[in-house]
């Protein structure tokens, strides 16, 4: 019998995913495929690699679908996956109180993650860093170009001790923001009551004042992929990191330009130009003469001949006609049909629609 410590992780998957509509009208956000794998699975697989044996999902919306999908993964990954159901939205701290019994069955620190973050998950480093400083909490921080859009973290660079947080600073105080990945000692649960609570605004400032909160800087890329334009930006970053770390997973062949990920069951016709920065899902059919760049094409879709797509997300089982032009973060929900020779500029199309007219200006098509 090995005496290996069982580590746990709580993933906050309770939101409605409104920013990623129309995709989240068909599946909960954590199950939307990002680079041919559900967003949630990117996180769970990285946690398992770092030695986590029990993952708790704090859920509220569409939880049956999540439960079914994750039960399939439980056996494959050889871990335990539990669901903690919110009856009312509990913010970002309340779910920890709700899952208290699951989190405190041992005295080991546990991970807490926001569900729409993609990066090269530094879970092993987080454990080492957290045990080294010995305090109650560790936040992963990442550097951003425009800190005025975020809440920033002020900390001692040498040791990581956090002093305070500044919400959307108008003068420069720091360019490090909370990356939505934490590791906590179980004593943090004494601070949190079972009610809607923001961990960022109500819990962290107090911990920082008491010297119990430390920051670890993330290396490599980071993106919150909770809305379509950021989803596509995150995809570009992820594909670039594959280019460095696992280039064999990227597709090569005639007409492939730059970083392109193609499921083996997809079919690509003659004289196409695919890439840079394209992900093509299972069972996708791309007919002859198609041009695609900076797009995600989800499972079972068909792009008919001579169409031109840039910065789009094509939802599951959709059908884009011949000589169609789509651009400017156009997003098709599940099972959308776009008739031949149309132009779609930044259109957001809800599931199961048929589009027979061009959409020259960005709008939502219900």
């Amino acid at each position: 019998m090995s005496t290996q410590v069982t580590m746990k992780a709580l993933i906050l998957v309770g939101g409605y995913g409104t920013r990623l509509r129309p995709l989240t009208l068909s599946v909960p956000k954590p199950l939307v495929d990002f680079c041919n794998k559900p967003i949630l699975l990117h996180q769970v697989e990285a946690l398992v690699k770092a030695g986590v044996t029990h993952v708790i999902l704090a859920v509220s919306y569409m939880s049956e679908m999540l439960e079914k999908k994750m039960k399939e993964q439980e056996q494959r990954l050889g871990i335990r996956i539990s669901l903690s159901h919110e009856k009312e939205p509990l913010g970002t701290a309340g779910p920890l109180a709700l899952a208290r019994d699951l989190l405190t069955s041992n005295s080991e620190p546990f991970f807490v993650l926001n569900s729409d973050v993609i990066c090269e998950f530094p879970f092993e480093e987080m454990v080492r860093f957290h045990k080294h400083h010995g305090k109650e909490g560790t936040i992963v921080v990442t550097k951003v170009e425009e800190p005025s859009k975020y809440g920033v973290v002020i900390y001692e660079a040498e040791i990581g001790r956090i002093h305070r947080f500044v919400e959307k600073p108008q003068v420069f105080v720091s360019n490090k923001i909370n990356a939505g990945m934490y590791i906590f000692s179980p004593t943090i649960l004494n601070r949190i009551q079972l009610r809607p609570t923001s961990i960022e605004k109500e819990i962290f400032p107090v911990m920082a004042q008491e010297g119990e909160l430390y920051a670890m800087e993330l290396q490599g890329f980071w993106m919150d992929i909770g809305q379509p334009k950021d989803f596509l930006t995150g995809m570009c970053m992820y594909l670039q990191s594959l280019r460095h770390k696992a280039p064999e997973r990227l597709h090569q062949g005639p007409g492939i330009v730059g970083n392109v990920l193609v499921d083996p069951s997809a079919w690509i016709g003659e004289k196409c130009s695919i890439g840079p920065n394209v992900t093509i899902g299972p069972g996708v059919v791309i007919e002859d003469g198609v041009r695609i760049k900076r797009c995600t094409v989800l499972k079972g879709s068909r792009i008919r001949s001579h169409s031109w797509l840039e910065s789009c997300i094509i939802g599951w089982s959709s059908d884009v006609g011949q000589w169609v032009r789509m651009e400017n973060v156009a997003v098709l929900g599940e099972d959308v049909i776009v008739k031949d020779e149309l132009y779609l500029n930044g259109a957001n199309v809800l599931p199961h629609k048929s589009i027979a007219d061009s959409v020259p200006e960005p709008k939502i098509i219900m």
Side-chain angles (χ1 to χ4, degrees), residues 13 23 28-29 33 47 99 101 149 158 186 202 227 235 269 280 317 326 344 359:
V13 292
L23 301 174
K29 183 173 62 180
D33 288 312
L47 286 166
D101 295 347
K149 298 198 309 207
E158 298 72 47
E202 296 173 67
Q227 54 187 335
M235 174 193 73
I280 292 175
S317 308
M326 288 177 61
L344 271 62
V359 183

Side-chain angles (χ1 to χ4, degrees), residues 120-222:
E120 291 163 13
F121 298 107
F123 296 136
E124 282 133 331
E125 293 87 345
M126 285 169 74
V127 175
R128 285 196 294 273
F129 180 83
H130 184 75
K131 292 195 165 165
H132 178 73
H133 67 67
K135 299 294 184 185
E136 203 166 69
T138 299
I139 297 182
V140 176
V141 296
T142 185
K143 196 156 84 184
V144 288
E145 295 300 318
E146 277 182 60
S148 61
K149 298 198 309 207
Y150 302 93
V152 299
V153 186
I154 316 256
Y155 64 96
E156 290 170 45
E158 298 72 47
I159 56 168
R161 184 183 156 174
I162 294 176
H163 290 287
R164 60 196 172 100
F165 298 88
V166 181
E167 195 49 47
K168 302 197 166 127
Q170 291 318 298
V171 292
F172 183 88
V173 283
S174 160
N175 59 0
K176 306 294 194 304
I177 66 163
N178 176 348
M181 295 178 283
Y182 320 123
I183 183 166
F184 300 127
S185 303
T187 48
I188 191 177
L189 296 167
N190 304 333
R191 300 177 181 273
I192 302 171
Q193 291 165 351
L194 185 50
R195 59 176 177 80
T197 312
S198 159
I199 202 163
E200 299 86 357
K201 294 191 171 69
E202 296 173 67
I203 308 297
F204 287 168
V206 181
M207 289 172 71
Q209 262 174 334
E210 294 173 12
E212 288 291 339
L213 197 56
Y214 278 64
M216 180 186 114
E217 194 177 334
L218 181 67
Q219 304 307 309
F221 77 99
W222 175 89

Side-chain angles (χ1 to χ4, degrees), residues 88-108:
E88 53 158 352
L90 290 170
T92 46
L96 278 72
L98 187 64
R100 177 187 301 268
D101 295 347
L102 291 169
L103 292 170
T104 51
S105 59
N106 62 26
S107 58
E108 283 300 306

Side-chain angles (χ1 to χ4, degrees), residues 33-141:
D33 288 312
F34 175 82
C35 294
N36 289 349
K37 183 189 294 182
I39 296 172
L40 183 58
L41 212 47
H42 284 274
Q43 297 186 326
V44 171
E45 288 180 353
L47 286 166
V48 171
K49 239 172 96 180
V52 169
T53 53
H54 185 187
V55 173
I56 300 144
L57 304 177
V59 298
S60 59
Y61 171 66
M62 283 175 140
S63 58
E64 302 75 24
M65 200 170 189
L66 258 171
E67 190 157 17
K68 184 174 166 293
K69 275 277 182 265
M70 293 322 283
K71 285 294 161 201
E72 297 164 11
Q73 298 300 331
E74 219 179 17
Q75 279 146 349
R76 183 179 75 87
L77 296 167
I79 58 165
R80 180 176 165 209
I81 296 176
S82 310
L83 273 71
S84 174
H85 290 267
E86 297 178 15
K87 297 287 180 282
E88 53 158 352
L90 290 170
T92 46
L96 278 72
L98 187 64
R100 177 187 301 268
D101 295 347
L102 291 169
L103 292 170
T104 51
S105 59
N106 62 26
S107 58
E108 283 300 306
F110 56 83
F111 293 102
V112 174
L113 310 182
N114 289 347
S115 66
D116 38 16
V117 165
I118 198 81
C119 63
E120 291 163 13
F121 298 107
F123 296 136
E124 282 133 331
E125 293 87 345
M126 285 169 74
V127 175
R128 285 196 294 273
F129 180 83
H130 184 75
K131 292 195 165 165
H132 178 73
H133 67 67
K135 299 294 184 185
E136 203 166 69
T138 299
I139 297 182
V140 176
V141 296

